[in-house]
mmCIF file of all heavy atoms in Angstrom:
data_model
loop_
_atom_site.group_PDB
_atom_site.id
_atom_site.type_symbol
_atom_site.label_atom_id
_atom_site.label_comp_id
_atom_site.label_asym_id
_atom_site.label_seq_id
_atom_site.Cartn_x
_atom_site.Cartn_y
_atom_site.Cartn_z
ATOM 1 N N PRO L 1 9.748 9.247 12.763
ATOM 2 C CA PRO L 1 8.992 8.025 12.476
ATOM 3 C C PRO L 1 8.046 8.253 11.301
ATOM 4 O O PRO L 1 7.432 9.318 11.174
ATOM 5 C CB PRO L 1 8.203 7.789 13.767
ATOM 6 C CG PRO L 1 9.003 8.469 14.822
ATOM 7 C CD PRO L 1 9.601 9.670 14.153
ATOM 8 N N PRO L 2 7.938 7.277 10.398
ATOM 9 C CA PRO L 2 7.090 7.472 9.226
ATOM 10 C C PRO L 2 5.612 7.414 9.580
ATOM 11 O O PRO L 2 5.199 6.772 10.537
ATOM 12 C CB PRO L 2 7.466 6.281 8.344
ATOM 13 C CG PRO L 2 7.857 5.221 9.334
ATOM 14 C CD PRO L 2 8.567 5.953 10.434
ATOM 15 N N ARG L 3 4.839 8.120 8.777
ATOM 16 C CA ARG L 3 3.395 7.937 8.834
ATOM 17 C C ARG L 3 3.049 6.715 8.005
ATOM 18 O O ARG L 3 3.835 6.281 7.158
ATOM 19 C CB ARG L 3 2.696 9.176 8.274
ATOM 20 C CG ARG L 3 2.932 10.443 9.099
ATOM 21 C CD ARG L 3 2.287 11.653 8.447
ATOM 22 N NE ARG L 3 2.912 11.994 7.188
ATOM 23 C CZ ARG L 3 2.294 12.039 6.005
ATOM 24 N NH1 ARG L 3 1.013 11.730 5.926
ATOM 25 N NH2 ARG L 3 2.933 12.394 4.920
ATOM 26 N N SER L 4 1.877 6.152 8.233
ATOM 27 C CA SER L 4 1.494 4.966 7.467
ATOM 28 C C SER L 4 -0.013 4.942 7.291
ATOM 29 O O SER L 4 -0.763 5.477 8.110
ATOM 30 C CB SER L 4 1.963 3.690 8.175
ATOM 31 O OG SER L 4 1.445 3.608 9.485
ATOM 32 N N GLU L 5 -0.432 4.334 6.183
ATOM 33 C CA GLU L 5 -1.857 4.226 5.926
ATOM 34 C C GLU L 5 -2.154 3.032 5.032
ATOM 35 O O GLU L 5 -1.302 2.594 4.260
ATOM 36 C CB GLU L 5 -2.401 5.510 5.299
ATOM 37 C CG GLU L 5 -1.771 5.897 3.984
ATOM 38 C CD GLU L 5 -2.279 7.245 3.471
ATOM 39 O OE1 GLU L 5 -1.971 8.276 4.104
ATOM 40 O OE2 GLU L 5 -2.968 7.241 2.422
ATOM 41 N N ILE L 6 -3.360 2.507 5.175
ATOM 42 C CA ILE L 6 -3.877 1.450 4.327
ATOM 43 C C ILE L 6 -4.825 2.071 3.315
ATOM 44 O O ILE L 6 -5.693 2.870 3.692
ATOM 45 C CB ILE L 6 -4.648 0.391 5.150
ATOM 46 C CG1 ILE L 6 -3.761 -0.214 6.237
ATOM 47 C CG2 ILE L 6 -5.203 -0.696 4.240
ATOM 48 C CD1 ILE L 6 -2.629 -1.055 5.726
ATOM 49 N N ARG L 7 -4.652 1.728 2.044
ATOM 50 C CA ARG L 7 -5.579 2.190 1.011
ATOM 51 C C ARG L 7 -6.192 0.966 0.337
ATOM 52 O O ARG L 7 -5.551 0.305 -0.495
ATOM 53 C CB ARG L 7 -4.866 3.062 -0.012
ATOM 54 C CG ARG L 7 -4.370 4.386 0.548
ATOM 55 C CD ARG L 7 -3.868 5.304 -0.552
ATOM 56 N NE ARG L 7 -3.232 6.483 0.002
ATOM 57 C CZ ARG L 7 -2.598 7.405 -0.733
ATOM 58 N NH1 ARG L 7 -2.557 7.261 -2.069
ATOM 59 N NH2 ARG L 7 -2.033 8.459 -0.169
ATOM 60 N N ALA L 8 -7.425 0.677 0.689
ATOM 61 C CA ALA L 8 -8.101 -0.499 0.149
ATOM 62 C C ALA L 8 -8.264 -0.419 -1.358
ATOM 63 O O ALA L 8 -8.350 -1.450 -2.046
ATOM 64 C CB ALA L 8 -9.459 -0.668 0.826
ATOM 65 N N SER L 9 -8.286 0.794 -1.902
ATOM 66 C CA SER L 9 -8.424 0.947 -3.351
ATOM 67 C C SER L 9 -7.254 0.310 -4.094
ATOM 68 O O SER L 9 -7.397 -0.120 -5.249
ATOM 69 C CB SER L 9 -8.523 2.431 -3.717
ATOM 70 O OG SER L 9 -7.361 3.137 -3.290
ATOM 71 N N LEU L 10 -6.098 0.232 -3.453
ATOM 72 C CA LEU L 10 -4.940 -0.399 -4.091
ATOM 73 C C LEU L 10 -5.143 -1.910 -4.220
ATOM 74 O O LEU L 10 -4.737 -2.520 -5.216
ATOM 75 C CB LEU L 10 -3.669 -0.104 -3.289
ATOM 76 C CG LEU L 10 -3.319 1.371 -3.080
ATOM 77 C CD1 LEU L 10 -2.071 1.497 -2.219
ATOM 78 C CD2 LEU L 10 -3.120 2.079 -4.416
ATOM 79 N N ALA L 11 -5.765 -2.502 -3.220
ATOM 80 C CA ALA L 11 -6.015 -3.949 -3.263
ATOM 81 C C ALA L 11 -6.931 -4.307 -4.421
ATOM 82 O O ALA L 11 -6.841 -5.410 -4.978
ATOM 83 C CB ALA L 11 -6.619 -4.415 -1.940
ATOM 84 N N LYS L 12 -7.829 -3.398 -4.796
ATOM 85 C CA LYS L 12 -8.755 -3.664 -5.898
ATOM 86 C C LYS L 12 -8.016 -3.903 -7.201
ATOM 87 O O LYS L 12 -8.509 -4.622 -8.084
ATOM 88 C CB LYS L 12 -9.734 -2.501 -6.042
ATOM 89 C CG LYS L 12 -10.859 -2.746 -7.032
ATOM 90 C CD LYS L 12 -11.851 -1.598 -7.026
ATOM 91 C CE LYS L 12 -13.011 -1.878 -7.980
ATOM 92 N NZ LYS L 12 -12.562 -1.991 -9.394
ATOM 93 N N ARG L 13 -6.844 -3.327 -7.355
ATOM 94 C CA ARG L 13 -6.055 -3.547 -8.564
ATOM 95 C C ARG L 13 -5.757 -5.037 -8.764
ATOM 96 O O ARG L 13 -5.806 -5.544 -9.888
ATOM 97 C CB ARG L 13 -4.742 -2.769 -8.494
ATOM 98 C CG ARG L 13 -4.879 -1.252 -8.542
ATOM 99 C CD ARG L 13 -5.209 -0.771 -9.927
ATOM 100 N NE ARG L 13 -5.129 0.679 -10.040
ATOM 101 C CZ ARG L 13 -5.466 1.352 -11.145
ATOM 102 N NH1 ARG L 13 -5.906 0.706 -12.209
ATOM 103 N NH2 ARG L 13 -5.371 2.663 -11.171
ATOM 104 N N PHE L 14 -5.425 -5.731 -7.682
ATOM 105 C CA PHE L 14 -5.143 -7.160 -7.778
ATOM 106 C C PHE L 14 -6.417 -7.953 -8.073
ATOM 107 O O PHE L 14 -6.413 -8.872 -8.896
ATOM 108 C CB PHE L 14 -4.483 -7.658 -6.497
ATOM 109 C CG PHE L 14 -3.140 -7.042 -6.226
ATOM 110 C CD1 PHE L 14 -3.001 -5.963 -5.361
ATOM 111 C CD2 PHE L 14 -2.001 -7.525 -6.841
ATOM 112 C CE1 PHE L 14 -1.762 -5.382 -5.111
ATOM 113 C CE2 PHE L 14 -0.755 -6.961 -6.618
ATOM 114 C CZ PHE L 14 -0.638 -5.888 -5.741
ATOM 115 N N ALA L 15 -7.500 -7.587 -7.416
ATOM 116 C CA ALA L 15 -8.775 -8.261 -7.652
ATOM 117 C C ALA L 15 -9.211 -8.100 -9.105
ATOM 118 O O ALA L 15 -9.721 -9.052 -9.725
ATOM 119 C CB ALA L 15 -9.841 -7.713 -6.708
ATOM 120 N N ASP L 16 -8.998 -6.911 -9.656
ATOM 121 C CA ASP L 16 -9.364 -6.673 -11.049
ATOM 122 C C ASP L 16 -8.541 -7.527 -12.009
ATOM 123 O O ASP L 16 -8.983 -7.801 -13.133
ATOM 124 C CB ASP L 16 -9.190 -5.194 -11.401
ATOM 125 C CG ASP L 16 -10.235 -4.304 -10.736
ATOM 126 O OD1 ASP L 16 -11.231 -4.848 -10.225
ATOM 127 O OD2 ASP L 16 -10.024 -3.067 -10.707
ATOM 128 N N GLU L 17 -7.349 -7.938 -11.575
ATOM 129 C CA GLU L 17 -6.501 -8.815 -12.380
ATOM 130 C C GLU L 17 -6.834 -10.288 -12.172
ATOM 131 O O GLU L 17 -6.213 -11.167 -12.773
ATOM 132 C CB GLU L 17 -5.022 -8.580 -12.046
ATOM 133 C CG GLU L 17 -4.417 -7.363 -12.702
ATOM 134 C CD GLU L 17 -4.318 -7.498 -14.210
ATOM 135 O OE1 GLU L 17 -3.850 -8.545 -14.698
ATOM 136 O OE2 GLU L 17 -4.729 -6.538 -14.906
ATOM 137 N N GLY L 18 -7.791 -10.554 -11.275
ATOM 138 C CA GLY L 18 -8.192 -11.931 -11.039
ATOM 139 C C GLY L 18 -7.236 -12.698 -10.157
ATOM 140 O O GLY L 18 -7.099 -13.927 -10.277
ATOM 141 N N THR L 19 -6.574 -11.995 -9.241
ATOM 142 C CA THR L 19 -5.621 -12.667 -8.362
ATOM 143 C C THR L 19 -5.577 -11.959 -7.014
ATOM 144 O O THR L 19 -6.243 -10.953 -6.794
ATOM 145 C CB THR L 19 -4.220 -12.700 -9.005
ATOM 146 O OG1 THR L 19 -3.359 -13.541 -8.228
ATOM 147 C CG2 THR L 19 -3.615 -11.314 -9.119
ATOM 148 N N ASP L 20 -4.780 -12.502 -6.107
ATOM 149 C CA ASP L 20 -4.513 -11.874 -4.821
ATOM 150 C C ASP L 20 -3.073 -11.380 -4.805
ATOM 151 O O ASP L 20 -2.176 -12.010 -5.395
ATOM 152 C CB ASP L 20 -4.700 -12.864 -3.670
ATOM 153 C CG ASP L 20 -6.165 -13.209 -3.432
ATOM 154 O OD1 ASP L 20 -7.015 -12.333 -3.667
ATOM 155 O OD2 ASP L 20 -6.439 -14.354 -3.030
ATOM 156 N N GLY L 21 -2.846 -10.275 -4.113
ATOM 157 C CA GLY L 21 -1.499 -9.738 -4.022
ATOM 158 C C GLY L 21 -1.446 -8.623 -3.005
ATOM 159 O O GLY L 21 -2.426 -8.323 -2.317
ATOM 160 N N THR L 22 -0.288 -8.008 -2.915
ATOM 161 C CA THR L 22 -0.104 -6.905 -1.978
ATOM 162 C C THR L 22 0.900 -5.923 -2.543
ATOM 163 O O THR L 22 1.788 -6.291 -3.339
ATOM 164 C CB THR L 22 0.353 -7.412 -0.600
ATOM 165 O OG1 THR L 22 0.289 -6.338 0.349
ATOM 166 C CG2 THR L 22 1.772 -7.961 -0.634
ATOM 167 N N PHE L 23 0.767 -4.676 -2.125
ATOM 168 C CA PHE L 23 1.666 -3.607 -2.560
ATOM 169 C C PHE L 23 1.971 -2.722 -1.366
ATOM 170 O O PHE L 23 1.074 -2.389 -0.582
ATOM 171 C CB PHE L 23 0.999 -2.770 -3.652
ATOM 172 C CG PHE L 23 1.726 -1.482 -3.985
ATOM 173 C CD1 PHE L 23 2.770 -1.477 -4.891
ATOM 174 C CD2 PHE L 23 1.351 -0.280 -3.384
ATOM 175 C CE1 PHE L 23 3.442 -0.286 -5.194
ATOM 176 C CE2 PHE L 23 2.013 0.908 -3.684
ATOM 177 C CZ PHE L 23 3.052 0.895 -4.587
ATOM 178 N N VAL L 24 3.229 -2.353 -1.240
ATOM 179 C CA VAL L 24 3.645 -1.372 -0.229
ATOM 180 C C VAL L 24 4.561 -0.369 -0.908
ATOM 181 O O VAL L 24 5.494 -0.755 -1.629
ATOM 182 C CB VAL L 24 4.377 -2.030 0.962
ATOM 183 C CG1 VAL L 24 4.740 -0.972 2.004
ATOM 184 C CG2 VAL L 24 3.536 -3.125 1.594
ATOM 185 N N GLY L 25 4.282 0.906 -0.705
ATOM 186 C CA GLY L 25 5.144 1.962 -1.214
ATOM 187 C C GLY L 25 5.611 2.860 -0.082
ATOM 188 O O GLY L 25 4.831 3.157 0.834
ATOM 189 N N TYR L 26 6.857 3.285 -0.146
ATOM 190 C CA TYR L 26 7.405 4.207 0.855
ATOM 191 C C TYR L 26 7.819 5.490 0.144
ATOM 192 O O TYR L 26 8.796 5.521 -0.614
ATOM 193 C CB TYR L 26 8.597 3.576 1.569
ATOM 194 C CG TYR L 26 9.408 4.546 2.409
ATOM 195 C CD1 TYR L 26 8.788 5.443 3.268
ATOM 196 C CD2 TYR L 26 10.807 4.556 2.347
ATOM 197 C CE1 TYR L 26 9.522 6.349 4.019
ATOM 198 C CE2 TYR L 26 11.553 5.442 3.110
ATOM 199 C CZ TYR L 26 10.908 6.335 3.937
ATOM 200 O OH TYR L 26 11.631 7.230 4.693
ATOM 201 N N LYS L 27 7.061 6.552 0.362
ATOM 202 C CA LYS L 27 7.365 7.854 -0.230
ATOM 203 C C LYS L 27 8.389 8.541 0.663
ATOM 204 O O LYS L 27 8.066 9.041 1.749
ATOM 205 C CB LYS L 27 6.087 8.679 -0.383
ATOM 206 C CG LYS L 27 5.017 7.980 -1.216
ATOM 207 C CD LYS L 27 3.870 8.896 -1.583
ATOM 208 C CE LYS L 27 4.279 9.802 -2.723
ATOM 209 N NZ LYS L 27 3.119 10.581 -3.245
ATOM 210 N N THR L 28 9.628 8.547 0.203
ATOM 211 C CA THR L 28 10.739 8.897 1.083
ATOM 212 C C THR L 28 10.694 10.344 1.545
ATOM 213 O O THR L 28 11.044 10.641 2.691
ATOM 214 C CB THR L 28 12.080 8.609 0.390
ATOM 215 O OG1 THR L 28 12.209 9.440 -0.773
ATOM 216 C CG2 THR L 28 12.173 7.149 -0.010
ATOM 217 N N ASP L 29 10.274 11.258 0.697
ATOM 218 C CA ASP L 29 10.251 12.670 1.085
ATOM 219 C C ASP L 29 9.187 12.951 2.134
ATOM 220 O O ASP L 29 9.324 13.869 2.950
ATOM 221 C CB ASP L 29 10.007 13.559 -0.137
ATOM 222 C CG ASP L 29 11.226 13.637 -1.050
ATOM 223 O OD1 ASP L 29 12.303 13.196 -0.622
ATOM 224 O OD2 ASP L 29 11.083 14.121 -2.181
ATOM 225 N N ASP L 30 8.125 12.167 2.094
ATOM 226 C CA ASP L 30 7.005 12.373 3.016
ATOM 227 C C ASP L 30 7.077 11.473 4.244
ATOM 228 O O ASP L 30 6.220 11.579 5.129
ATOM 229 C CB ASP L 30 5.676 12.119 2.302
ATOM 230 C CG ASP L 30 5.451 13.041 1.128
ATOM 231 O OD1 ASP L 30 5.937 14.187 1.186
ATOM 232 O OD2 ASP L 30 4.810 12.623 0.151
ATOM 233 N N TYR L 31 8.080 10.577 4.291
ATOM 234 C CA TYR L 31 8.144 9.572 5.363
ATOM 235 C C TYR L 31 6.811 8.845 5.486
ATOM 236 O O TYR L 31 6.309 8.605 6.588
ATOM 237 C CB TYR L 31 8.531 10.184 6.713
ATOM 238 C CG TYR L 31 9.812 10.981 6.699
ATOM 239 C CD1 TYR L 31 9.941 12.130 7.470
ATOM 240 C CD2 TYR L 31 10.897 10.578 5.929
ATOM 241 C CE1 TYR L 31 11.125 12.866 7.467
ATOM 242 C CE2 TYR L 31 12.074 11.300 5.923
ATOM 243 C CZ TYR L 31 12.186 12.449 6.688
ATOM 244 O OH TYR L 31 13.355 13.163 6.669
ATOM 245 N N LEU L 32 6.237 8.494 4.334
ATOM 246 C CA LEU L 32 4.898 7.926 4.300
ATOM 247 C C LEU L 32 4.925 6.522 3.705
ATOM 248 O O LEU L 32 5.403 6.330 2.583
ATOM 249 C CB LEU L 32 3.962 8.815 3.474
ATOM 250 C CG LEU L 32 2.543 8.288 3.234
ATOM 251 C CD1 LEU L 32 1.790 8.131 4.555
ATOM 252 C CD2 LEU L 32 1.781 9.213 2.280
ATOM 253 N N ILE L 33 4.434 5.549 4.475
ATOM 254 C CA ILE L 33 4.276 4.179 3.999
ATOM 255 C C ILE L 33 2.811 3.970 3.644
ATOM 256 O O ILE L 33 1.922 4.234 4.458
ATOM 257 C CB ILE L 33 4.698 3.163 5.073
ATOM 258 C CG1 ILE L 33 6.182 3.313 5.410
ATOM 259 C CG2 ILE L 33 4.411 1.740 4.613
ATOM 260 C CD1 ILE L 33 6.608 2.507 6.601
ATOM 261 N N ILE L 34 2.578 3.509 2.415
ATOM 262 C CA ILE L 34 1.222 3.252 1.946
ATOM 263 C C ILE L 34 1.127 1.786 1.559
ATOM 264 O O ILE L 34 1.933 1.297 0.755
ATOM 265 C CB ILE L 34 0.871 4.135 0.737
ATOM 266 C CG1 ILE L 34 1.047 5.620 1.079
ATOM 267 C CG2 ILE L 34 -0.560 3.860 0.264
ATOM 268 C CD1 ILE L 34 0.977 6.536 -0.132
ATOM 269 N N ALA L 35 0.167 1.080 2.139
ATOM 270 C CA ALA L 35 0.013 -0.351 1.860
ATOM 271 C C ALA L 35 -1.396 -0.638 1.366
ATOM 272 O O ALA L 35 -2.351 0.057 1.719
ATOM 273 C CB ALA L 35 0.301 -1.179 3.112
ATOM 274 N N SER L 36 -1.503 -1.691 0.566
ATOM 275 C CA SER L 36 -2.808 -2.085 0.040
ATOM 276 C C SER L 36 -3.632 -2.859 1.062
ATOM 277 O O SER L 36 -4.851 -2.964 0.925
ATOM 278 C CB SER L 36 -2.635 -2.930 -1.220
ATOM 279 O OG SER L 36 -1.941 -4.135 -0.926
ATOM 280 N N ASP L 37 -2.973 -3.405 2.068
ATOM 281 C CA ASP L 37 -3.671 -4.210 3.067
ATOM 282 C C ASP L 37 -2.771 -4.370 4.286
ATOM 283 O O ASP L 37 -1.557 -4.192 4.187
ATOM 284 C CB ASP L 37 -4.007 -5.605 2.502
ATOM 285 C CG ASP L 37 -2.747 -6.411 2.264
ATOM 286 O OD1 ASP L 37 -2.133 -6.264 1.188
ATOM 287 O OD2 ASP L 37 -2.358 -7.190 3.157
ATOM 288 N N PRO L 38 -3.334 -4.723 5.435
ATOM 289 C CA PRO L 38 -2.526 -4.876 6.643
ATOM 290 C C PRO L 38 -2.087 -6.313 6.922
ATOM 291 O O PRO L 38 -1.390 -6.543 7.894
ATOM 292 C CB PRO L 38 -3.473 -4.388 7.744
ATOM 293 C CG PRO L 38 -4.813 -4.815 7.257
ATOM 294 C CD PRO L 38 -4.781 -4.701 5.745
ATOM 295 N N GLN L 39 -2.486 -7.268 6.090
ATOM 296 C CA GLN L 39 -2.151 -8.669 6.359
ATOM 297 C C GLN L 39 -1.021 -9.167 5.464
ATOM 298 O O GLN L 39 0.089 -9.421 5.928
ATOM 299 C CB GLN L 39 -3.392 -9.562 6.202
ATOM 300 C CG GLN L 39 -4.446 -9.367 7.269
ATOM 301 C CD GLN L 39 -5.444 -8.285 6.910
ATOM 302 O OE1 GLN L 39 -5.622 -7.938 5.749
ATOM 303 N NE2 GLN L 39 -6.108 -7.750 7.921
ATOM 304 N N ARG L 40 -1.307 -9.295 4.170
ATOM 305 C CA ARG L 40 -0.319 -9.883 3.272
ATOM 306 C C ARG L 40 0.926 -9.022 3.145
ATOM 307 O O ARG L 40 2.008 -9.543 2.853
ATOM 308 C CB ARG L 40 -0.950 -10.137 1.897
ATOM 309 C CG ARG L 40 -0.007 -10.810 0.910
ATOM 310 C CD ARG L 40 -0.749 -11.427 -0.249
ATOM 311 N NE ARG L 40 0.171 -11.869 -1.285
ATOM 312 C CZ ARG L 40 -0.089 -12.821 -2.165
ATOM 313 N NH1 ARG L 40 -1.261 -13.442 -2.157
ATOM 314 N NH2 ARG L 40 0.800 -13.158 -3.083
ATOM 315 N N SER L 41 0.820 -7.728 3.361
ATOM 316 C CA SER L 41 2.000 -6.861 3.289
ATOM 317 C C SER L 41 3.061 -7.262 4.300
ATOM 318 O O SER L 41 4.241 -6.941 4.138
ATOM 319 C CB SER L 41 1.603 -5.401 3.503
ATOM 320 O OG SER L 41 0.839 -5.258 4.685
ATOM 321 N N GLY L 42 2.658 -7.972 5.362
ATOM 322 C CA GLY L 42 3.605 -8.460 6.351
ATOM 323 C C GLY L 42 3.843 -9.955 6.276
ATOM 324 O O GLY L 42 4.460 -10.520 7.178
#
């Protein structure tokens, strides 16, 4: 099963662009899911 984490610093990238958005990355070798937020990503 993959590990997972939220990194709020990623969400700041969208705010700095003057918009709202979401990002999810899956690092396949690490079985690691990294998301910018827990709401819009789903």
